[in-house]
Amino acid sequence: MTNEEMNQQLEQVVNKEISELLIKKEDFITFRNCWLKHPEKDRIIGEAKLLGEVVYRYVS
């Protein structure tokens, strides 16, 4: 997944167009780089799942 695609998905979570974002182990570094630069990063909360996957949700 590219940085642009990841940024679009982060915006969709923040705008509540999607309820959650599933990040697989191989996409985590890309996600983390985008997440760290996002102004709402403190409200995008992750929950660890099996096999290195993390589900992120926006908490208002």
Side-chain angles (χ1 to χ4, degrees), residues 6 9-10 13 20-29 31-32 35 44-57:
M6 191 64 70
Q9 289 190 356
L10 278 170
V13 169
E20 61 187 28
L21 177 59
L22 176 66
I23 302 299
K24 296 186 180 201
K25 184 178 180 179
E26 58 269 12
D27 293 326
F28 181 75
I29 298 300
F31 170 80
R32 186 176 182 279
W35 176 79
I44 302 170
I45 307 300
E47 177 184 345
K49 297 293 183 184
L50 296 175
L51 304 173
E53 296 180 342
V54 183
V55 173
Y56 287 89
R57 295 180 183 93

